[in-house]
Amino acid sequence: MVDRHRWVFGIWLVLLIVLGAAAPSVFSSLAGAGWQANGSESVQVRELAQQHFGGNSSEAVQVVVHSDTATVTDSEMEQAFTDVAAVFAGDTRFGAVVQPQPGMTISPDGHTGIVIAGANASTDDMVKAVDDLKSELTALSKDGVQVYPTGSSALWSDFNKANHDAMIKAELFSWPVTLAIMVLAFGSLVAAGLPLLLTVAGLVASAGGLVLLNGVTPISVWAMNFAMMFALALGIDYALFIVARFRDALRRSDPRSAVVETMNTAGKAVILSGLTVLVSLSAVLLVPAPAVRTMAVGIMLAVFFVLLATMTLLPAVLGKLGSKVNTGSLPHAKRQVHRSPRFAAWGELLHKHPWPFAVVSAGILVALALPVFGLKVAMPSITVVPENAPVRQGYELVQAQFGDGAPGALQIIVPTEDAATTAEAAGRVNGIAMVTPPRAAGDSSGYSLLQAIPGVDPSDESMATVLADLRSQLPDNALVGGAPAENLDLQQALNDYLPIVVGIILVLGFLLLLVALQAPLIALLGTVVSLLSTAAAFGVAKLIFQDGHGASLLGFTPQGFLDGWGPVFFFAMIFAIAMDYTVFLLATAKEHYEHSGDPKTAQVDGMAHSGRIILLAAAVMVAVFFTFALADPLPPKEMGIILGVAVLLDAVLIRLILLPVLLRLTGHGAWWSPAWLTKVLPSITFTH
């Protein structure tokens, strides 16, 4: 990379121009939906409703028209209904537009009517359709008449916008905080700027890559939201490790040799760390939910480009800069050395008194992990959308005028000959407040559609029981769907795949550590302690987001559960970050063990050479993640706090205490490997 820096710079310039041209459209072009369990009964119902019932599916747009003074028969209300229908006219993404119907979509007092515009496009296109038209629809509010688009498509439209705005705000806040930490960490303006340069390159490339990939298959807009945060955190992590090692090597040799030494030691650790992150996230691809899969794809793409930049662009830049990497040094920078005397002393202290530190560290982690056994998960409720969002205002109007369960109607599709029997059976199910008369399809399909209105809010815990009872008590050929059913089916799929994903991540994480370290015992211990810190982070998440401890301080109303995708998705992310630090620490310790053959030297010098970097990298990550805790919407807040707490616990209690103590207690055994295993594994060393 150093000898061919012109080629490296040229190729990256072309790559950034090509992908950068597509990057600005990343948020407008990516998909807005995809929160479904592919192949589930509820998805079948939605597809049948769109095909045979004019698009009157869970994705249909419901426009709530309300007046405190006028009724639906008054001229101003009738004009509003006509104007709403005119907005949808000519847009092929919408199917049949149904005006308010007495007894169904007109409130008992006559002051509220709901216009339903059928869905005639994919779920992603329906969200974009609402994006395009919701300002035109809300602009119809006048003369005491209020107009609010609501329904599933409108929910995701407002939800995505609120989250996007919050993510951008948090990113803008985190960059200066990050830069300040980097300047303090490196003591040099140039050195501090390199990780941010690297991250920008990775982000631009991944944003453009996602736009191009979206042309092949729909990619959730959430993929970029998560990718932005993860790329910033990991990009800085990797660059910090590489640049710190390079500055140390530069004291002993010329820039070219310093880069060679750096990439032959820290470079290997970064590659293995990046592979661990990619492997952990790849397990999430098993979950049959497009949004969850593509969020993992987005982060993996960002990590890939950040890793690529770390292994190609960064060494080329370092080789070209040479000693100029220290330009703009602060006074304290001259006192910095790669082997930290403070962390060496800390390593000696852990070596002398391992048991007290082991007991206290493990005890804190176990105590924090215990609440995880009471963790509840569910798909987010309407409360995650800002109170002034049109979809929430419409939702609350529907509840006030039609009943708590009205915004979450369950749809039943059944052959017409069984429709009357099905309607009668549905009406007897406990928790169903009303069943609409069967409506036959307008084609020759032979299907009829019924709406079953629950008596509880769609996000109420009892909705799962209502849905299960409904499905069990209806004829076998009746299919039950609707927005609440889609959420519950997705939640069930996430629950079913969680143990599979966790198992795969643990096994692959162990195998990667085994290949990297060539030592089964420390690879196993590294995996187990990463699992412990992950469990502790979820225990804290339960206390905050389910039980509401600190909710007023953090500015949110607890839902009584963690958002449904959290366990699968956050487990993969937290475990990936935990293994990231594990590789940094153990790779450094292994390097010193290979040099000396002494387990004490490996433990103490491993801590002395990596402890400061781990602490600084954790500080950057915690700063990045905790800025997302400032977001108003709950999902970014959950993500920021859970990941921030995970990094804090992992860096302080695991990497700087428990894992070094385990190295002390296991001695030579930590690095022992049977002869047959050594022959099987590829030869990887960290010495230079």
Side-chain angles (χ1 to χ4, degrees):
M1 294 301 108
V2 175
D3 292 345
R4 296 166 179 79
H5 64 269
R6 287 189 179 87
W7 276 101
V8 176
F9 296 153
I11 290 170
W12 266 100
L13 184 61
V14 171
L15 187 67
L16 290 176
I17 289 172
V18 172
L19 294 178
S25 65
V26 65
F27 289 110
S28 59
S29 61
L30 296 188
W35 296 96
Q36 63 186 46
N38 287 348
S40 64
E41 183 175 330
S42 55
V43 171
Q44 292 178 56
V45 169
R46 188 183 70 215
E47 291 169 349
L48 287 170
Q50 288 196 202
Q51 187 177 352
H52 303 295
F53 294 92
N56 188 14
S57 68
S58 60
E59 295 302 310
V61 179
Q62 302 160 23
V63 182
V64 183
V65 181
H66 171 79
S67 173
D68 290 333
T69 54
T71 64
V72 293
T73 56
D74 291 335
S75 59
E76 55 265 46
M77 289 281 277
E78 289 183 340
Q79 184 60 49
F81 297 143
T82 303
D83 292 343
V84 167
V87 171
F88 295 120
D91 193 324
T92 56
R93 294 173 294 187
F94 296 96
V97 177
V98 181
Q99 293 289 348
Q101 304 291 309
M104 294 175 64
T105 50
I106 295 178
S107 63
D109 65 6
H111 287 283
T112 305
I114 303 174
V115 179
I116 298 175
N120 196 31
S122 68
T123 54
D124 295 314
D125 287 338
M126 289 309 299
V127 174
K128 286 181 181 176
V130 177
D131 288 341
D132 296 340
L133 299 182
K134 67 182 175 186
S135 59
E136 191 176 347
L137 288 167
T138 53
L140 297 175
S141 296
K142 57 187 176 183
D143 300 329
V145 177
Q146 300 162 321
V147 179
Y148 301 113
T150 188
S152 183
S153 298
L155 170 66
W156 287 112
S157 173
D158 283 359
F159 193 37
N160 291 338
K161 183 182 185 307
N163 280 284
H164 167 248
D165 292 347
M167 297 289 279
I168 294 296
K169 182 180 176 182
E171 286 283 348
L172 291 174
F173 186 78
S174 68
W175 280 84
V177 174
T178 300
L179 182 58
I181 295 173
M182 298 300 290
V183 170
L184 290 173
F186 283 117
S188 160
L189 294 174
V190 172
L194 285 177
L196 297 180
L197 172 72
L198 190 78
T199 304
V200 168
L203 268 176
V204 170
S206 58
L210 284 173
V211 172
L212 298 179
L213 191 60
N214 190 60
V216 179
T217 182
I219 302 291
S220 172
V221 69
W222 285 57
M224 191 59 208
N225 288 339
F226 280 91
M228 284 171 63
M229 184 177 68
F230 225 62
L232 179 60
L234 279 185
I236 289 170
D237 242 20
Y238 295 157
L240 190 61
F241 202 54
I242 296 287
V243 174
R245 186 61 187 254
F246 171 75
R247 294 175 80 194
D248 178 59
L250 201 57
R251 298 171 189 269
R252 299 183 296 275
S253 56
D254 62 275
R256 183 180 184 278
S257 300
V259 172
V260 172
E261 178 183 335
T262 298
M263 301 312 291
N264 201 26
T265 51
K268 286 178 185 171
V270 166
I271 276 284
L272 291 163
S273 169
L275 286 175
T276 305
V277 174
L278 293 173
V279 161
S280 295
L281 289 165
S282 67
V284 179
L285 300 178
L286 293 172
V287 180
V292 176
R293 283 177 173 172
T294 57
M295 283 196 297
V297 168
I299 296 180
M300 290 171 71
L301 198 62
V303 171
F304 169 76
F305 278 116
V306 164
L307 197 58
L308 187 65
T310 306
M311 303 310 294
T312 58
L313 184 59
L314 186 57
V317 170
L318 290 174
K320 187 67 177 168
L321 280 176
S323 59
K324 292 178 183 175
V325 74
N326 295 316
T327 301
S329 291
L330 301 177
H332 79 281
K334 294 181 175 60
R335 301 193 300 271
Q336 287 185 358
V337 289
H338 193 260
R339 188 185 190 279
S340 167
R342 290 179 181 175
F343 279 97
W346 178 249
E348 290 281 1
L349 181 62
L350 294 178
H351 195 271
K352 285 181 182 177
H353 308 287
W355 283 108
F357 286 101
V359 170
V360 171
S361 176
I364 293 171
L365 288 167
V366 169
L368 291 175
L370 287 176
V372 82
F373 293 104
L375 184 66
K376 296 177 184 176
V377 291
M379 294 304 290
S381 66
I382 192 67
T383 56
V384 298
V385 181
E387 290 183 4
N388 62 350
V391 68
R392 182 163 177 179
Q393 292 172 311
Y395 183 101
E396 290 171 350
L397 259 176
V398 171
Q399 281 195 318
Q401 297 293 319
F402 295 89
D404 287 344
L410 295 167
Q411 295 186 309
I412 305 168
I413 291 183
V414 65
T416 300
E417 61 268 21
D418 294 325
T421 308
T422 301
E424 187 181 340
R428 292 196 301 266
V429 173
N430 190 32
I432 296 296
M434 185 184 84
V435 179
T436 63
R439 172 191 159 198
D443 54 22
S444 57
S445 63
Y447 287 118
S448 284
L449 172 68
L450 302 85
Q451 306 268 4
I453 312 298
V456 295
D457 184 272
S459 58
D460 192 279
E461 277 188 66
S462 62
M463 180 59 84
T465 305
V466 173
L467 178 64
D469 290 347
L470 194 61
R471 284 176 169 168
S472 65
Q473 294 178 36
L474 296 186
D476 292 339
N477 54 3
L479 300 174
V480 182
E486 289 180 25
N487 279 343
L488 289 165
D489 285 348
L490 173 57
Q491 187 60 63
Q492 188 59 52
L494 290 165
N495 294 346
D496 291 344
Y497 277 87
L498 178 61
I500 299 171
V501 170
V502 169
I504 290 173
I505 289 173
L506 290 176
V507 169
L508 293 178
F510 166 73
L511 290 176
L512 271 169
L513 273 184
L514 182 62
V515 170
L517 302 171
Q518 317 274 299
L521 179 59
I522 198 59
L524 179 62
L525 291 174
T527 306
V528 169
V529 294
S530 293
L531 180 62
L532 183 58
S533 67
T534 304
F538 276 111
V540 173
K542 189 261 184 186
L543 295 175
I544 295 174
F545 294 104
Q546 182 174 314
D547 299 343
H549 297 293
S552 57
L553 181 66
L554 294 167
F556 73 94
T557 302
Q559 301 181 95
F561 54 81
L562 188 68
D563 280 333
W565 60 81
V568 166
F569 201 67
F570 291 151
F571 180 88
M573 294 175 77
I574 293 169
F575 192 82
I577 294 169
M579 292 296 273
D580 182 43
Y581 290 128
T582 300
V583 170
F584 284 0
L585 174 64
L586 294 181
T588 308
K590 180 77 186 303
E591 179 184 349
H592 289 282
Y593 186 76
E594 289 171 356
H595 268 302
S596 65
D598 178 24
K600 180 182 178 181
T601 301
Q603 183 237 310
V604 174
D605 278 4
M607 177 60 67
H609 284 88
S610 69
R612 181 173 174 274
I613 302 300
I614 288 173
L615 192 62
L616 291 171
V620 171
M621 271 204 182
V622 169
V624 170
F625 292 147
F626 277 178
T627 55
F628 289 85
L630 303 174
D632 288 329
L634 194 55
K637 196 182 291 284
E638 280 184 346
M639 178 174 61
I641 290 174
I642 292 171
L643 294 182
V645 166
V647 171
L648 197 59
L649 293 174
D650 191 78
V652 176
L653 295 177
I654 299 284
R655 309 308 147 205
L656 299 182
I657 299 178
L658 191 55
L659 201 52
V661 165
L662 290 174
L663 286 176
R664 159 70 175 86
L665 295 175
T666 51
H668 286 286
W671 307 109
W672 172 82
S673 182
W676 65 267
L677 185 61
T678 307
K679 292 177 183 176
V680 171
L681 295 175
S683 178
I684 295 177
T685 60
F686 289 93
T687 49
H688 177 69

